[in-house]
Amino acid sequence: AQSVTQLDSQVPVFEEAPVELRCNYSSSVSVYLFWYVQYPNQGLQLLLKYLSGSTLVKGINGFEAEFNKSQTSFHLRKPSVHISDTAEYFCAVSVSYQKVTFGTGTKLQVIP
Amino acid sequence: DTEVTQTPKHLVMGMTNKKSLKCEQHMGHRAMYWYKQKAKKPPELMFVYSYEKLSINESVPSRFSPECPNSSLLNLHLHALQPEDSALYLCASRSEYVHRNTEAFFGQGTRLTVV
């Protein structure tokens, strides 16, 4: 079975500062990894995904993530955040198309 | 078209009511999902449909009854719900081909309140 751990439930950061949201996964087989963002009272929007190939993945809104197999991590980064980035961020893992397992989420609070 | 459309956006129902949530996608995806999301929690998988057949039921109470009438539509029939069933219900679809477009596309959700 696969699982995802997001260690930080909340991350406050000042506007224009860099941010890293941490995600660690556990699986006995190869996985597909995703980061989703959820704005209040909305559905989930895909930020980026790792399927295979290059371990540095670039996504929308200036976000990127690095897949590290040895550390079983898939941390999300942005060099300079904006107020509009305030949202809940979910890391997710999948080993087949049937199931996507989500982490508990990290609330990113951008401070003006 | 990369949209998953859910209706209604908001629903208030009594514990004796029967209602249905609807979900539609036109991306040709043959895997469709229902998730339940409580406040400040991650989405929890309820049901998975694969090729219009129920493939996963995560021990969901029978007061929730899914239906997949065709490859584009997914319904969730609700009956005799409890106040603790109040949540955001999310529908998602995904390609059944593991190596192609493997992210799940989510709808905007239905905010359900049971009174």
Side-chain angles (χ1 to χ4, degrees), chain B residues 47-68:
Chain B
F47 302 104
V48 179
Y49 270 83
S50 177
Y51 292 91
E52 297 87 67
K53 294 193 187 311
L54 184 64
S55 60
I56 295 178
N57 176 340
E58 293 285 12
S59 303
V60 179
S62 59
R63 58 185 184 268
F64 295 91
S65 176
E67 178 196 19
C68 190

Side-chain angles (χ1 to χ4, degrees), chain A residues 6-53:
Chain A
Q6 292 182 248
L7 293 170
D8 306 304
S9 59
Q10 289 192 64
V11 173
V13 62
F14 286 104
E15 194 174 13
E16 297 184 8
V19 69
E20 178 179 85
L21 305 183
R22 296 181 293 169
C23 172
N24 287 89
Y25 69 93
S26 172
S27 175
S28 57
V29 298
S30 296
V31 298
Y32 303 104
L33 293 159
F34 309 89
W35 275 100
Y36 284 88
V37 60
Q38 186 175 33
Y39 299 100
N41 295 313
Q42 294 196 23
L44 279 74
Q45 180 183 7
L46 182 73
L47 280 177
L48 48 78
K49 61 187 177 185
Y50 174 77
L51 307 179
S52 64

Side-chain angles (χ1 to χ4, degrees), chain A residues 32 34 36 38 41-44 46 49 51 90 94-100 102-105, chain B residues 31 33 35 37 42 45 48 50 55 58 90 94-96 98-99 102-104 106-108 111:
Chain A
Y32 303 104
F34 309 89
Y36 284 88
Q38 186 175 33
N41 295 313
Q42 294 196 23
L44 279 74
L46 182 73
K49 61 187 177 185
L51 307 179
F90 292 99
S94 174
V95 297
S96 75
Y97 76 89
Q98 295 257 44
K99 263 194 170 186
V100 177
F102 289 89
T104 50
Chain B
Y33 310 77
Y35 283 87
Q37 187 179 24
L45 183 65
V48 179
S50 177
S55 60
E58 293 285 12
L90 294 164
R94 193 177 184 196
S95 171
E96 69 279 16
V98 172
H99 299 292
T102 56
E103 69 266 32
F106 283 82
Q108 292 299 293
R111 174 70 61 188

